[in-house]
Amino acid sequence: MWGMDIVGKLPRAPGNRVYMLVMTDNFSKWIEAEAMTEVKEAQDDTKGGNGTYAIQPGIRAEAVIPSEDLVPIHRYGCQTAEQNQIEMTRSLDTVDELRESAYIRMASYKQSVARTYNKNVNVRTLAVGGLVLQRVFENTKNHKADKFAYKWEGPYQVESIVKNGAYRLMTMQGQILHRPWNIRHLKQYFV
């Protein structure tokens, strides 16, 4: 199924073309556009409430882009109603396979993007009992300190693993911190 729209009046292009016929294949989202000099409206068309012309149900017309006159396409080979019905039935029979192959291509593409993205990821894990430094945030740092102030504080000891990448810390005196810390805000402390 194709969607069709006429865009215009546009600034004058070479050949006095001021309208554009745009057609979109609703299945593949393929877009074709052709510049046109004029648009003739059918006598039976009535203007709709939004200012566009609606085609009446009794009118049968095939939308043909002028460039398709020069290049033979599949639609011209199936011009009879019987042949068109056979081709539509054949298309409906293969739509599940087409959809499945599109899903397979999409999954393959997602996997290749994930591989490319993840090839530079370094997985870091911390062991229970290990020593870490905790990042000093803007709201917790000493505002009287200058730009040479410490960006890390600690050391802290990893008390337990809460989830993947989240750790509960305890001070060297044995006091457990009130919330778990994400591994992004921790750095392993080497003595």
Side-chain angles (χ1 to χ4, degrees):
M1 178 179 274
W2 286 77
M4 181 174 66
D5 195 12
I6 297 175
V7 181
K9 212 169 189 179
L10 300 171
R12 195 167 301 283
N16 288 332
R17 297 183 175 179
V18 291
Y19 294 99
M20 181 171 53
L21 175 65
V22 180
M23 295 186 64
T24 306
D25 182 3
N26 291 343
F27 180 73
S28 67
K29 305 302 182 208
W30 182 262
I31 298 172
E32 293 189 21
E34 181 74 28
M36 301 175 3
T37 55
E38 61 184 40
V39 175
K40 293 181 182 175
E41 295 141 8
Q43 297 289 334
D44 297 327
D45 290 348
T46 57
K47 201 166 198 176
N50 59 358
T52 61
Y53 287 89
I55 296 176
Q56 298 297 320
I59 299 174
R60 291 181 174 229
E62 180 181 359
V64 177
I65 296 176
S67 63
E68 291 179 355
D69 289 336
L70 305 174
V71 179
I73 61 170
H74 179 70
R75 285 194 301 175
Y76 289 136
C78 307
Q79 287 184 343
T80 65
E82 297 82 22
Q83 189 66 20
N84 187 41
Q85 187 63 33
I86 292 169
E87 291 297 324
M88 291 298 289
T89 305
R90 190 176 300 155
S91 294
L92 287 175
D93 290 342
T94 61
V95 74
D96 290 333
E97 290 116 15
L98 290 172
R99 187 175 292 128
E100 188 171 330
S101 67
Y103 285 140
I104 291 170
R105 282 194 313 273
M106 187 171 59
S108 171
Y109 175 71
K110 283 183 179 180
Q111 288 174 353
S112 69
V113 168
R115 264 194 312 274
T116 303
Y117 178 78
N118 292 332
K119 73 179 178 184
N120 295 325
V121 173
N122 297 324
V123 178
R124 289 191 313 154
T125 58
L126 301 173
V128 174
L131 297 177
V132 293
L133 295 174
Q134 171 188 332
R135 183 183 303 271
V136 176
F137 290 102
E138 191 67 34
N139 62 343
T140 60
K141 79 175 186 179
N142 184 1
H143 291 289
K144 294 179 182 176
D146 58 359
K147 63 181 180 180
F148 297 111
Y150 293 113
K151 301 205 181 333
W152 298 93
E153 65 182 13
Y156 293 96
Q157 188 174 10
V158 177
E159 193 265 329
S160 64
I161 300 172
V162 178
K163 283 189 197 175
N164 293 339
Y167 298 90
R168 188 162 301 281
L169 304 178
M170 106 177 126
T171 64
M172 297 308 284
Q173 291 77 27
Q175 180 184 4
I176 297 176
L177 298 182
H178 66 283
R179 68 177 183 94
W181 286 85
N182 194 313
I183 196 164
R184 292 187 322 227
H185 307 301
L186 301 174
K187 179 164 72 169
Q188 198 162 13
Y189 180 69
F190 297 103
V191 183

